[in-house]
Amino acid sequence: MNRTPDTIEVESPAPDETDQLLVDEYVYLVGRPPLKQFLDFVADQVVDGRSLDRRALVEEWTSAHNYLRLLEENEAGWADNPKIGAIGAHLEPLRDAFLKDPLLEHSFRSVPTEVGMVELDRLVVYQKHINLEFVGAAKKNLGDAPGDEDVFKTCLPSSDRATPGAKLMRTRNDTYQFVSPSNDLRFLGPMILQSDNITGQPHPGVLVGVIGLAVGFGTNLLNVIHAENRLILNNGSHRAFTLRQLGVTHVPCLVQHISSREELSLVGSAELRLNPDRYLLHPRPSMFKDYFDPRLRKVFPVTRQLRQVRVNFTVEENNLPAV
């Protein structure tokens, strides 16, 4: 029987000169995340962060926090009742093809969805930072003046798009490790397979069944949650940031309509599930436009991150009395 190699390169893209860089620049929202969380981020992830003037960082955070308190008065309710517009008729064929994607139908079937146009600046956000290296790569692909179809395909790509590079390594007999530069790498769940699902690989015996532990990339698209008359950016922060930098103010996205907090627990991120009032009830929560406000953001050099997913399994074999 052929032995599975210990390391597998999975659909790696062509080498790029930026792959040699060890540092990325991040835009970090200052003043809204707790002060200790901000200081811990600087100390643990920013290049030479522990040598930065801690007192100056505290003062910078405090200044941003005080400015946010003014915004809470002057822009109270600014996140409420955003419009969801229809896409242009010329984009309807792209929309129809997108909605027929089997991966989309599988991943977004818990609550009602639609494709609509939203205003980026009015989106509520929970992601604290944006990796400008990802933004630069997206800009390179889009060009300086993307057309409507380019914007649509960037926001709502098909599932057959090129995937980021990844490596699969067997680290022990019962442990496998996946590593990728993309933070979209994730555990996708268990799968029960039959023998005819396994092709191109010699079987180790007469198969009764195969349990697969799937790791890969999700439906990486621009997705917002419509809940309690607000729109929360749930996925696609980097492509949204890229398009806003290019002057695009309204974008197509997949909207999930939530009618209760129970439904929110099915589709919301961990942060949104743990702190829903912070984003749904706060008079002026963190907004997408805050990423571009110099009084609320700071750019840091951050050590480049790799995403790791480790999967291990256990097997028990016993004899049981027949009943």
Side-chain angles (χ1 to χ4, degrees):
M1 183 179 73
N2 294 332
R3 183 175 182 274
T4 301
D6 288 340
T7 301
I8 299 176
E9 192 82 19
V10 185
E11 296 190 22
S12 293
D16 187 271
E17 60 183 6
T18 57
D19 292 341
Q20 303 304 315
L21 299 177
L22 299 177
V23 174
D24 294 336
E25 285 193 329
Y26 278 46
V27 168
Y28 192 94
L29 287 181
V30 184
R32 180 76 69 184
L35 175 59
K36 185 178 185 305
Q37 190 173 353
F38 169 64
L39 294 174
D40 287 346
F41 171 82
V42 173
D44 297 338
Q45 298 193 41
V46 173
V47 177
D48 297 327
R50 294 183 183 275
S51 64
L52 296 179
D53 187 335
R54 186 178 178 90
R55 184 59 202 165
L57 291 170
V58 171
E59 291 176 354
E60 192 165 5
W61 182 92
T62 302
S63 175
H65 184 69
N66 290 337
Y67 175 58
L68 280 168
R69 297 188 68 177
L70 290 177
L71 290 180
E72 289 171 10
E73 297 179 8
N74 298 333
E75 296 185 354
W78 203 78
D80 298 338
N81 303 309
K83 293 182 179 179
I84 302 173
I87 64 170
H90 62 297
L91 295 175
E92 289 178 357
L94 286 176
R95 178 202 61 192
D96 295 343
F98 168 77
L99 291 174
K100 292 177 182 177
D101 191 315
L103 185 58
L104 178 77
E105 293 177 351
H106 176 78
S107 302
F108 292 88
R109 57 185 177 179
S110 299
V111 298
T113 61
E114 68 169 316
V115 172
M117 297 291 294
V118 299
E119 184 180 357
L120 286 173
D121 286 350
R122 294 180 68 88
L123 300 180
V124 178
V125 297
Y126 55 78
Q127 185 160 315
K128 301 174 185 67
H129 46 70
I130 297 290
N131 186 333
L132 295 180
E133 194 69 28
F134 292 168
V135 172
K139 275 187 175 181
K140 186 176 180 181
N141 291 330
L142 272 171
D144 294 331
D148 289 350
E149 290 191 4
D150 296 323
V151 171
F152 187 98
K153 292 176 182 178
T154 297
C155 295
L156 302 174
S158 62
S159 60
D160 61 357
R161 67 190 185 277
T163 56
K167 285 185 178 180
L168 162 60
M169 293 160 279
R170 183 176 183 177
T171 56
R172 297 187 309 188
N173 285 339
D174 61 352
T175 303
Y176 292 83
Q177 178 174 291
F178 299 78
V179 178
S180 174
S182 171
N183 57 11
D184 188 46
L185 184 71
R186 65 190 68 183
F187 177 61
L188 298 175
M191 303 170 64
I192 297 178
L193 307 175
Q194 303 299 325
S195 59
D196 56 2
N197 297 132
I198 310 299
T199 61
Q201 178 73 23
H203 296 176
V206 179
L207 298 182
V208 174
V210 176
I211 299 173
L213 302 176
V215 174
F217 303 101
T219 50
N220 192 7
L221 48 84
L222 208 160
N223 159 233
V224 303
I225 291 176
H226 184 216
E228 300 180 23
N229 292 322
R230 289 184 174 180
L231 292 174
I232 300 98
L233 182 57
N234 197 44
N235 191 43
S237 298
H238 287 90
R239 68 194 66 196
F241 187 98
T242 303
L243 290 167
R244 191 66 186 89
Q245 269 201 343
L246 292 172
V248 179
T249 60
H250 293 69
V251 297
C253 67
L254 188 72
V255 183
Q256 293 178 284
H257 293 280
I258 305 300
S259 61
S260 69
R261 293 285 177 98
E262 291 299 318
E263 290 183 355
L264 185 66
S265 68
L266 296 177
V267 301
S269 68
E271 169 64 17
L272 192 54
R273 295 194 305 269
L274 289 172
N275 302 295
D277 289 351
R278 183 180 299 171
Y279 305 99
L280 298 176
L281 296 182
H282 194 285
R284 204 292 192 178
S286 294
M287 305 293 296
F288 184 83
K289 68 173 185 171
D290 295 346
Y291 290 129
F292 300 91
D293 191 328
R295 292 162 291 188
L296 296 176
R297 64 178 248 168
K298 186 173 179 62
V299 178
F300 287 110
V302 175
T303 303
R304 176 161 292 179
Q305 305 289 306
L306 293 176
R307 176 78 168 173
Q308 179 192 74
V309 177
R310 182 179 294 127
V311 178
N312 68 295
F313 61 90
T314 59
V315 176
E316 292 185 9
E317 295 180 348
N318 299 304
N319 294 320
L320 303 176
V323 177

